[in-house]
Each structure stands twice: as C-alpha cells, then as structure tokens.
Amino acid sequence: MSDHDARGANEQEQILAGGNMGGAVRVGVSVRRCAGAWSPTIQRLLRHLRQHGLYWVPEPLGRDQDGRDSVSYLAGEVPQYPLPDWIWSEDILADAARRLAQLHAASAEFDTTDASWQIPVHEPVEVICHNDFAPYNMVFVDGRLTGVIDWDTASPGPRVWDLAYLAYRLVPLTDPANGDGLDSNVSQRARRLRLLCDAYSRDHGHEVGPAAVLPATVQRLHDLAHFTQARADGGQDELRSHVDLYRRDTAWISVHTRALNDNAG
C-alpha cells in the first residue's frame, strides 16, 4: 500500500456537494472520484499548471487502491446556489478573471500528445479550457479566492470559450427571471463585463473584449441547452427546467447585445 493509500485507509469518506457530474468524495486531505480515460491527462495537466506556479489548483495524487482518481483537497468555502451576496464583489470578479488568464497562459504550453479529454475539443485551440470556471467551482477563504476545483472536464479550446462562461455566471449574463443571477440593470452588467474583460486582458497579454465574449456566450448556452436536453431525454427529466433557463438566458443576451457592448465603453 502506498503512503497515499495508507493515509486514507482509515479515514471516513465525505460526499462533496457539486463535483461536476457528482460522485466526488473527500478522504482526509484528498478528493476521490471515479476515474475515466481522461484522468491521466488531467493529472498531467494539474502537474503542469503547478509547475508553472499555479498552486491554487489541486495537487494530482494519481489513483487510490480502488482505482479512483485522486487530487488534494483545497480547504475553504465553495459557494452553491443561491449564491451569497459577497460573491458579487468587483474584487472577486476581477480576481477570477486574472486566475483564468493565469490558467490560459500556463496551459498554452501543455503537451497534448496522446491526451484524452472528457469534453470535446473546441476550435480554434489556443489554450486548455477549464470549461466550468464558475463560482460553484471556486474555493474562498475569508471572502478571498484561493482555489479552483473540478478539472475533470478540462479540454483544449479558444480563450473566449472559458471567459464567456465565467461572464455568464459572474457578471452575470442572465435573464432577470433567473434567480441565479444578480439584481442589476443592463448598464451595470455592461460595466461588470468590461471590468472582467479588462482584468483578463491585462494579465494575459491577449485582449478579449465584450464584442467577442457576448456571441461566444450565446454559443456556449446553445451547446449547454442541447447537452442538457439530451440528458433529460435520456431519463434525467429533472433537467428539463435547466434547458428552458439556458434558452431564456440566451434570448436575453441576444436582445441586449448592443446595449451591453455600447455601455461597456
């Protein structure tokens, strides 16, 4: 038995909320989940990111005695919906954008030879996208962003693919009827979108503005609605309400694209 397995052998498993598609458990100082064909690639990606100074991503720990994928546990608060009011701080918005920029800068050099991904690759490939860079996958200590979790759906894609989803969740770019969003008007959201884009672009060296983020967000939500519809049709009927939500949010962005662009400055 390895040191890794020995440390967790006598520790109770704790089911964690969220966990992407679910199934994540905490065992002591580690998090375990069922491994897939993509797991060795994700372990290698996390190692690469940490070697490039991104110590806010989990440490890869290989597989445990049961063959499960294992990474280090990042201590702190992971907000779930309904999100707490403090999550809408502009400091958190800017810090999240900077972290995403750091990820993209470090991952651009990742060797994808023989890589396997759970989520399809999106063109043009520029970086490795987290694909779910959102508040419910962020770890906070005393209201400060200290880590990002749930990397198993990472895959190559364009920078704007990740930035668009972060904008959707944290600006937010949602229909006012969506209770997961922030009670704010179009002008306020345009200003937050500009702040997000500016914070990302300053740290990355690649300028990505609202004019690129907005159509990418629409495409992401179209894809998400299609993916969720397929899961609902496959027996997960409770997801049908999510499909309607994504489509309403898509329509809201489409209607307000010009105002979001014009007011972003």
Side-chain angles (χ1 to χ4, degrees):
M1 180 180 292
S2 68
D3 289 343
H4 167 256
D5 291 336
R7 284 195 298 270
N10 298 316
E11 294 177 307
Q12 188 173 6
E13 296 190 358
Q14 174 189 350
I15 297 175
L16 297 174
N20 230 329
M21 302 294 184
V25 298
R26 178 184 176 185
V27 183
V29 295
S30 68
V31 173
R32 321 280 178 91
R33 72 173 75 234
C34 291
W38 55 86
S39 296
T41 299
I42 300 303
Q43 291 268 324
R44 189 161 57 85
L45 171 64
L46 292 175
R47 189 172 302 109
H48 171 90
L49 296 177
R50 289 178 65 89
Q51 287 172 347
H52 284 72
L54 276 65
Y55 297 110
W56 46 268
V57 310
E59 179 184 359
L61 300 174
R63 293 194 180 185
D64 68 6
Q65 69 273 22
D66 297 318
R68 294 179 299 183
D69 186 60
S70 181
V71 298
S72 64
Y73 173 75
L74 301 185
E77 179 180 358
V78 179
Q80 302 295 320
Y81 289 105
L83 296 172
D85 289 342
W86 55 263
I87 206 70
W88 304 111
S89 159
E90 290 189 356
D91 287 341
I92 289 177
L93 181 69
D95 197 17
R98 287 191 288 267
R99 301 290 179 123
L100 188 60
Q102 292 169 11
L103 160 63
H104 289 169
S107 70
E109 301 175 7
F110 181 67
D111 183 3
T112 59
T113 304
D114 297 326
S116 179
W117 309 102
Q118 183 176 185
I119 296 294
V121 173
H122 292 90
E123 299 290 344
V125 170
E126 298 171 335
V127 297
I128 306 299
C129 294
H130 180 282
N131 284 321
D132 206 5
F133 208 90
Y136 50 78
N137 281 328
M138 297 176 183
V139 182
F140 295 87
V141 175
D142 296 329
R144 184 172 59 87
L145 177 56
T146 58
V148 177
I149 59 175
D150 280 354
W151 290 82
D152 52 315
T153 55
S155 67
R159 299 173 180 87
V160 72
W161 193 251
D162 253 358
L163 191 59
Y165 194 68
L166 178 60
Y168 170 60
R169 289 295 185 181
L170 205 51
V171 167
L173 299 175
T174 56
D175 184 281
N178 186 339
D180 291 342
L182 174 66
D183 184 12
S184 55
N185 60 38
V186 174
S187 294
Q188 290 170 321
R189 294 184 182 197
R191 183 176 57 79
R192 285 176 61 87
L193 178 59
R194 169 52 66 185
L195 189 157
L196 180 80
C197 291
D198 286 351
Y200 176 90
S201 299
R202 278 196 303 270
D203 272 42
H204 197 288
H206 292 270
E207 185 171 352
V208 183
V213 169
L214 291 166
T217 308
V218 168
Q219 184 59 54
R220 283 224 58 175
L221 291 178
H222 275 308
D223 287 5
L224 191 53
H226 179 76
F227 172 75
T228 308
Q229 180 73 59
R231 291 175 66 193
D233 292 344
Q236 295 178 266
D237 201 58
E238 70 279 4
L239 296 177
R240 293 195 188 280
S241 62
H242 293 265
V243 177
D244 294 337
L245 182 148
Y246 297 140
R247 288 174 175 163
R248 285 198 304 270
D249 290 343
T250 300
W252 184 88
I253 296 169
S254 298
V255 168
H256 294 93
T257 290
R258 182 172 181 177
L260 288 165
N261 264 317
D262 291 348
N263 289 300

